[in-house]
Amino acid sequence: MVRRGMADAPLRLYGEPFWISPYVFTCFVALREKGLPFETDVLPLHERAQRAPAYRDRSITAKVPALEHDGFWLAESSAIVEYLEDAFPGARVLPSDFRARARARQLQAWIRSALLALREERPTTTMFYERAATPLSPAGREAAAELVRVADLVVPARGGALFGAWCVADADLAFMLHRLLLNDEPVPSRIADWARAEWERPSVRAFVTHERPPAGPPPY
Ligand SMILES: N[C@@H](CCC(=O)N[C@@H](CS)C(=O)NCC(=O)O)C(=O)O
């Protein structure tokens, strides 16, 4: 927990101007769910603003998202979520039960490291800007099937939260499933209904409907 006074220090989340980063999404949703006031700042990644020394060296790993809190800088979305959870008790964004929390971390780590073909063939620009124009390759279809297989195992039969109570892994899984849904790829109705319900959550909506420039990012 933060020491007295630190809790009132402003929080700033660094993202990118097109609001398409799944990692910024996670942190944005976590901050909203915790009810913490925060400001956002965006770095034009296509202009390599993340490599400007001031940002690069404060964030250490020179990626977005980064969180600035009372002089402390932190990057990596899962580290940011854990920092928020440790620093600000109250509304939880990770499960309180240790096994449920481990499972949520498993799902989050998998979402960040697996399904490469799906992430490449259905990038987040196809969720918020132009839809994908080409069908999934065999590798893309395999990744989509794997995503659905995992979702089928973790989404409860009666819907609702994945691991007892809502946590940020719910939002991450819904985001990944929307790479398929928004591109009209087939998703079993039970899983699609779950993901669409999650998409309506106010913290998720606030990111999804955030103002964006009319044209997506230039290639970089
Ligand atoms: N593992 C990191 C991934 C962060 C990441 O890859 N961010 C991208 C934007 S979505 C980025 O900063 N790209 C610019 C770069 O790599 O220079 C996390 O979970 O935060």
Side-chain angles (χ1 to χ4, degrees):
M1 203 189 303
V2 291
R3 62 170 193 273
R4 261 172 83 98
M6 211 193 264
D8 299 327
L11 285 157
R12 183 180 297 267
L13 180 67
Y14 292 86
E16 51 71 43
F18 302 95
W19 294 82
I20 54 171
S21 165
Y23 314 110
V24 176
F25 165 79
T26 305
C27 298
F28 181 94
V29 166
L31 282 158
R32 299 278 299 217
E33 290 285 342
K34 288 191 88 69
L36 297 167
F38 65 102
E39 291 183 1
T40 56
D41 204 344
V42 294
L43 281 82
L45 302 179
H46 54 286
E47 292 168 8
R48 307 212 25 94
Q50 72 280 24
R51 303 299 309 180
Y55 184 84
R56 183 194 62 197
D57 295 345
R58 287 187 179 112
S59 66
I60 298 179
T61 41
K63 304 268 183 202
V64 299
L67 182 76
E68 182 185 359
H69 178 224
D70 197 35
F72 178 67
W73 282 66
L74 186 67
E76 285 293 322
S77 55
S78 43
I80 292 170
V81 166
E82 300 215 5
Y83 175 80
L84 293 172
E85 198 75 315
D86 290 343
F88 300 98
R92 296 196 60 100
V93 292
L94 289 170
S96 53
D97 172 76
F98 79 102
R99 284 192 171 157
R101 194 161 63 247
R103 189 68 78 210
R105 286 176 174 142
Q106 174 186 354
L107 190 64
Q108 287 196 287
W110 179 77
I111 284 171
R112 281 161 177 68
S113 60
L115 311 177
L116 187 61
L118 181 57
R119 285 187 278 139
E120 281 178 359
E121 295 178 32
R122 295 296 178 265
T124 57
T125 47
T126 69
M127 298 168 65
F128 300 109
Y129 288 98
E130 291 221 343
R131 300 297 179 244
T134 48
L136 287 171
S137 70
R141 285 204 303 277
E142 197 178 311
E146 187 62 357
L147 173 60
V148 166
R149 184 189 71 80
V150 169
D152 195 46
L153 285 173
V154 296
V155 171
R158 278 174 289 168
L162 298 181
F163 306 118
W166 181 91
C167 77
V168 78
D170 294 49
D172 279 355
L173 181 63
F175 191 98
M176 189 54 111
L177 284 164
H178 272 78
R179 291 177 193 257
L180 299 177
L181 291 169
L182 293 171
N183 282 297
D184 293 329
E185 303 292 349
V187 175
S189 58
R190 185 180 87 81
I191 305 301
D193 290 350
W194 177 86
R196 290 198 177 104
E198 186 65 21
W199 213 236
E200 293 307 314
R201 202 173 169 89
S203 60
V204 171
R205 268 329 298 139
F207 184 94
V208 170
T209 62
H210 199 284
E211 199 181 340
R212 292 182 170 80
Y220 62 95

